Amino acid sequence: MAPRILLCGDVLGRLNQLFKRVSSVNKSAGPFDALLCVGQFFPDSPEQLEDFTKYIEGGSHFPLPTYFIGDYGVAAPKLLLQASKDSANQGFKMDGFKVCHNLYWLKGSGKFPLFGLSVAYLSGRKSSSGQQFGNYTEDDVDALRAIAEEPGVVDLFLTNEWPNGVTNRAADSDIPAGLSDGSDSTVSELVQEIKPRYHIAGTKGIYYAREPYSNVDAVHVTRFIGLASVGNRDKQKFIHAISPTPASTMSSTEIAMKTTNTTLSPYTFKEKRTSPMDSAKRSSDSISDPQYWRYDVAQKRQKHEAGHGDKLCFKFVSSGSCPRGEKCNFQHDTDAREQCMRGVCFDFLNKGKCERGPDCNFKHSLQDEGNRLPSRRPGSGRSKECWFCLSSPNVESHLIISIGENYYLALAKGPLVEDHVLIIPVEHMPSTLSMPPESEIELSRFQNSLRSYCKSQEKEFIFFEWVSIRGTHANLQAIPIPSSKAIMVEKVFNLAAQKLGFEFVAKKFDSISDGRKFLKTQIDGDSSLFYAQIPGGTILLHHVEEKEKFPAQFGREVLAGLLNMADNADWRNRKHSKDEEKEIVEDFKSRFQEYDPNC
């Protein structure tokens, strides 16, 4: 039997009104298996908190499993931080953090099974504020891009904001009066890649059920449903019931069925009436092929290179290959591919700008324009925006503890624990494994010095590095843990790997240098990897496949779990003022001085 699902728009903390309506629908058409909420879930004002918190604290109860992605509003940071600290929510949970009985917060982005249905989601809204809750990140978007490449059909896709262009090609009579266009071009890009059978969104305060539309390179259709807010004055529909058969159980004939009112995809629609200026300067948000994201050649490159600003194939630029091969209508530009490999920000390439600004870890300029000498050293290019380059105006020099010839030691920003430091190449290198062989002696000295310093405190250092093919400036994380917990490290890493669906390769070595020699044989420039050097001389290694979702903060999250510090897993929860950071650095320097190889 197909699952019965209720969909709801912005709750705005009005849980009494919501569940009064749910009870009514349940009696007439239920029972329902789950309630999925899009748009703002938390109250708009403190006056609404009393009734809302009764449900959270158990005075009132959620009558059925309820999932939400609108993690913003009054009291959201406080309640969600508490949920994040709950031991039951540690690890990697795509199926929701439990807030209380029958209430689950779908954090970030992901995909999970729900009564046989495949449900993908993007929580929060688009913003450059850098707040911990209520906004999605580039990592969240990248995770969904990876999910889009996985086999199988996504049944439901939940977003808070509407996609740009969703009313294109729709019947005018069905479009609600006064409806402005969608609010988020990123959502429109993602929905084209994911191709869900249902796309549900909130935030506009309007109910709109668009006619089904066909997808490019897929046989099934997508139905978009925009839902109004609970208790809205216009009495627009805020709750909607569906009972879809899971795509995984459908025959190819069943899933390919189309209704007579099915339209072409709204996202491949192009305005026919364009001014000469519009033609010369295309909007960066226009998308001519939903299967592959494209970007215009940046203006700087257009000035220096021949051509007419041809569109580039995203697949080729990001991965070096395109499944369409010669049949692809877009340019397979090796120079653009090189820019991507040099760590240029995807949003900068895609839109000409990046809303994350200084919080972005990637470069916002084309690197070494006009200079493509094959003999160029990998580490010779520096970015003014790189946090770690000593020559950069953005480097936070007050965090530096010790400087050698090839490496320097610095306090980690938002440290997981006391004495959490980074070993960073002086040169702008994508990984410590790509450093020249002669630099290994200095790196080993830093690591041995840290171990000796730690041993005097009955602690052990764990070293780990995320080596991404899109990495910019490398940093080797060094986090101390109590010696009593050292025996658990390998087990905890293996458990975390198991949750993500992979197994570590574990190898034991007699010395740091022997382990590093092995690691250097594992890099090829075409794939990413994660490794951890743990007590006892063991190295845990995992090669990350191109389409694999791998958390950039994996190592930190694992150790946060080991140390029962779930709230410290996010570095932003451990931010210090500049004066506090200076004080921490000076304190560490005084304690580390007798071990410092550069003193």
Side-chain angles (χ1 to χ4, degrees), residues 382-384 386-410 424-428 473:
R382 290 187 176 90
S383 168
K384 291 189 296 182
C386 179
W387 290 357
F388 298 130
C389 278
L390 296 182
S391 61
S392 168
N394 290 331
V395 68
E396 298 191 65
S397 57
H398 68 282
L399 298 176
I400 296 174
I401 296 165
S402 175
I403 301 178
E405 183 178 347
N406 300 290
Y407 286 95
Y408 69 93
L409 190 68
I424 305 169
V426 172
E427 284 287 332
H428 189 87
H473 199 136

Side-chain angles (χ1 to χ4, degrees), residues 29 47 92 133 166 310 314 406:
E47 290 76 20
F92 309 99
F133 304 113
V166 70
D310 292 340
F314 174 80
N406 300 290

Side-chain angles (χ1 to χ4, degrees), residues 373-448:
L373 296 176
S375 60
R376 179 178 171 271
R377 288 173 56 201
S380 61
R382 290 187 176 90
S383 168
K384 291 189 296 182
E385 301 188 10
C386 179
W387 290 357
F388 298 130
C389 278
L390 296 182
S391 61
S392 168
N394 290 331
V395 68
E396 298 191 65
S397 57
H398 68 282
L399 298 176
I400 296 174
I401 296 165
S402 175
I403 301 178
E405 183 178 347
N406 300 290
Y407 286 95
Y408 69 93
L409 190 68
L411 175 72
K413 197 82 171 170
L416 175 65
V417 293
E418 184 183 33
D419 296 345
H420 176 183
V421 293
L422 307 177
I423 304 175
I424 305 169
V426 172
E427 284 287 332
H428 189 87
M429 300 294 285
S431 79
T432 66
L433 301 179
S434 56
M435 290 284 283
E438 58 269 22
S439 69
E440 287 297 316
I441 296 174
E442 185 176 56
L443 178 58
S444 293
R445 284 176 184 163
F446 263 128
Q447 289 184 286
N448 285 326

Side-chain angles (χ1 to χ4, degrees), residues 320-353:
S321 63
C322 170
R324 291 188 174 186
E326 294 180 357
K327 294 181 180 179
C328 182
N329 296 324
F330 298 88
Q331 189 177 3
H332 292 178
D333 192 314
T334 55
D335 292 336
R337 164 67 177 157
E338 188 176 345
Q339 292 294 327
C340 180
M341 293 181 69
R342 289 174 185 171
V344 177
C345 170
F346 176 76
D347 268 0
F348 175 79
L349 293 173
N350 190 37
K351 303 174 183 177
K353 62 180 182 179

Side-chain angles (χ1 to χ4, degrees), residues 11 36 72 81 98 150 155 173 199 201 404 417 479 532:
V11 175
L36 305 179
Y72 49 94
L81 186 58
K98 185 176 181 179
E150 294 176 357
D155 293 299
S173 59
H199 177 197
V417 293
I479 297 179

Side-chain angles (χ1 to χ4, degrees), residues 36 94 110-114 116-122 143-159 190-200 213 215 218-223 242 244-250 255:
L36 305 179
M94 287 193 188
K111 183 178 74 170
F112 70 103
L114 182 68
L117 297 170
S118 173
V119 181
Y121 59 88
L122 177 66
L144 286 174
R145 289 172 180 161
I147 285 171
E149 300 291 343
E150 294 176 357
V153 175
V154 170
D155 293 299
L156 307 178
F157 182 39
L158 312 178
T159 64
L190 287 172
V191 76
Q192 292 171 85
E193 284 289 293
I194 295 172
K195 300 178 179 64
R197 293 170 62 209
Y198 290 86
H199 177 197
I200 302 98
Y213 63 82
N215 289 290
V219 297
H220 64 276
V221 300
T222 295
R223 291 170 168 82
I242 59 174
T245 301
S248 59
T249 67
M250 298 173 71
I255 204 165

